[in-house]
Amino acid sequence: MHAELIAVARNPKYRHFWLANIMSNGAIWIQNTTSSIALTHLSTSPAVNSLVQVAATLPFLLFGILAGQIGDRFSKPLVLTVAQLSLGLVSLTLAAATWQGLLSPALLVGVTAAFSVATVFRMPVAQAGIALTVPGDQVKHAAVLNNLGFNIARAVGPAVAGTLLLMLAYYQVYLVTATLLLAVSAYFFRGFYNERTASTDQPAFVSIRNAWQQISASGLFRRCTFDACVLFFAGSVIWSMMPFIAKYHLNQSTAGQGTLMGATGLGALLTVIVLPAVLKLRHNHQGYWLCYSLMISSIATIWLSSNLTVIFAALMVFGLSWSMAVTLLNGEIQSSFPRQILSRVIAIYLIVMYLAQATGSFWAGLISQFFETDSALLFSVAVLVLGLGLRSLLFTSTDACEE
């Protein structure tokens, strides 16, 4: 497994694409973490604080299908160029508004939503683009490395955001993210220019009706979307409420908030060590059982403990479970469908994934608003336990067919 990952990493076309995605994802995490931290200083309402995560995920429900259709019909480097340019311009707009003293909860939620719309059009193409940079038999391993890159950004982004906020004003941090995003847009535009001068034939476009027939007939896709619903709905309590918990329950500073959120990314980096062993398990579904078990134990630990060291370790375990789930699901999706419909397959999967995160985040905020954040954590644990039981009943035959 490690030799196969190294072989993928030695491919210069994939490696450059991978590095560009790390830079872009890192900038996105810096911006979203900065906005989440800023909101904790502007509002003490748990429901309002959860809205940043909702705004970051809900646009996938509204624009996901359109994004997949565009990704399959048009040049992927062109779509990525326009999406990256839009992200950079939104960051510049937020920087200017913040510099003028207009920073408010409504502005943060609105700009986060606009930022997410551009991300919607970027993500399916960025994931489907992997298949264009490596041979077909390397797609799963490329997906593992791609997820590693995403988790490097997830680990570094929140910590960098917390550190930058100790030295810079909010508008200056937003200028940093805008610079990174615009630089990546220039890289993708270069790829579009090179594609325009090449003479390679493009595969025939598959109609949305035929694409949907292939997707709806797949038992694997149904099982993957079920897992995404349960894991990402329940796990969203951490992404949406942890900055609030860190500030108001654990009395952490801005740097402390960023450090705790960065712990999830550090745990996610362990995926590259743990996942090769998971992929060697005799039965595929055992890897998903491990994801459920680790997420249940980590959220339960955060619910029960007030010790910072224990919570930091639990957040690392949570990051590992989330990352492994994302990697396993993405790898199966990306390697099980033809390239002609891959952007749309990924888009539909991302709609499910981000709708689960949006509803999970908002529900966690409501529970925290009317009860306590402990109640939201306990509810998430209950959802995971119930989901694992239902999975065993509903998808036993699907898992057996994939052995």
Side-chain angles (χ1 to χ4, degrees):
M1 176 66 184
H2 288 290
E4 293 160 330
L5 292 176
I6 291 172
V8 173
R10 285 177 175 171
N11 181 333
K13 189 175 181 180
Y14 174 81
R15 188 168 61 248
H16 297 157
F17 186 81
W18 184 73
L19 291 171
N21 279 324
I22 288 179
M23 183 181 294
S24 178
N25 287 324
I28 291 171
W29 274 102
I30 292 172
Q31 168 131 340
N32 287 341
T33 302
T34 299
S35 295
S36 294
I37 291 174
L39 192 54
T40 65
H41 293 272
L42 295 171
S43 173
T44 59
S45 167
V48 171
N49 275 268
S50 72
L51 288 179
V52 166
Q53 184 68 13
V54 174
T57 54
L58 194 57
F60 279 87
L61 174 64
L62 302 176
F63 301 103
I65 295 294
L66 178 61
Q69 188 81 349
I70 289 175
D72 280 333
R73 181 177 288 276
F74 298 101
S75 161
K76 287 179 172 55
L78 176 61
V79 175
L80 288 170
T81 299
V82 174
Q84 288 291 148
L85 184 62
S86 300
L87 287 168
L89 292 176
V90 171
S91 290
L92 282 176
T93 301
L94 182 56
T98 305
W99 181 53
Q100 292 296 318
L102 301 176
L103 192 65
S104 68
L107 175 68
L108 281 175
V109 172
V111 171
T112 299
F115 196 74
S116 182
V117 170
T119 306
V120 170
F121 288 90
R122 178 190 180 279
M123 285 193 67
V125 183
Q127 292 191 27
I130 295 173
L132 303 178
T133 62
V134 296
D137 60 347
Q138 292 185 343
V139 170
K140 269 196 175 182
H141 306 109
V144 171
L145 281 180
N146 189 63
N147 192 61
L148 172 63
F150 181 81
N151 288 316
I152 289 173
R154 175 174 279 174
V156 174
V160 169
T163 303
L164 288 176
L165 287 172
L166 294 176
M167 303 179 291
L168 304 174
Y170 286 118
Y171 81 90
Q172 291 172 318
V173 177
Y174 292 135
L175 282 175
V176 171
T177 62
T179 301
L180 293 173
L181 292 166
L182 291 173
V184 175
S185 71
Y187 164 79
F188 285 129
F189 179 76
R190 180 186 176 191
F192 170 63
Y193 176 80
N194 291 336
E195 182 184 69
R196 293 270 294 183
T197 59
S199 59
T200 55
D201 294 328
Q202 296 296 322
F205 180 74
V206 178
S207 70
I208 191 168
R209 179 180 179 182
N210 291 336
W212 177 248
Q213 287 176 344
Q214 294 183 52
I215 295 168
S216 60
S218 171
L220 179 144
F221 188 82
R222 289 194 295 273
R223 195 256 298 149
C224 285
T225 52
F226 175 87
D227 286 326
C229 283
V230 176
L231 288 165
F232 301 138
F233 175 89
S236 291
V237 68
I238 299 299
W239 301 119
S240 61
M241 299 311 303
M242 200 60 218
F244 183 87
I245 293 171
K247 179 174 176 60
Y248 293 105
H249 290 243
L250 301 175
N251 300 315
Q252 292 298 293
S253 64
T254 297
Q257 288 174 287
T259 298
L260 282 175
M261 292 305 294
T264 59
L266 291 175
L269 292 177
L270 297 175
T271 303
V272 76
I273 299 173
V274 176
L275 193 61
V278 172
L279 293 176
K280 292 179 181 178
L281 292 173
R282 182 177 178 183
H283 303 295
N284 291 340
H285 66 269
Q286 290 176 338
Y288 290 100
W289 274 74
L290 181 60
C291 292
Y292 276 88
S293 300
L294 290 176
M295 192 172 290
I296 289 169
S297 63
S298 62
I299 296 176
T301 299
I302 295 168
W303 166 48
L304 293 170
S305 178
S306 59
N307 183 282
L308 278 176
T309 302
V310 172
I311 291 175
F312 188 91
L315 285 170
M316 289 185 65
V317 173
F318 171 81
L320 173 62
S321 65
W322 184 283
S323 174
M324 280 204 306
V326 171
T327 303
L328 289 170
L329 291 168
N330 285 357
E332 287 196 279
I333 294 290
Q334 292 176 29
S335 62
S336 301
F337 293 89
R339 295 180 181 180
Q340 293 91 328
I341 66 169
L342 191 52
S343 291
R344 280 168 286 182
V345 174
I346 293 173
I348 294 171
Y349 163 73
L350 288 175
I351 288 172
V352 174
M353 175 182 176
Y354 281 94
L355 178 60
Q357 290 186 55
T359 54
S361 296
F362 187 64
W363 185 248
L366 284 179
I367 293 177
S368 299
Q369 180 74 38
F370 293 105
F371 298 98
E372 293 290 340
T373 51
D374 283 350
S375 300
L377 294 169
L378 178 59
F379 177 81
S380 294
V381 170
V383 169
L384 287 165
V385 172
L386 179 61
L388 185 57
L390 287 174
R391 187 188 196 280
S392 302
L393 295 174
L394 296 174
F395 298 104
T396 301
S397 58
T398 305
D399 287 329
C401 290
E402 294 168 11
E403 304 301 341

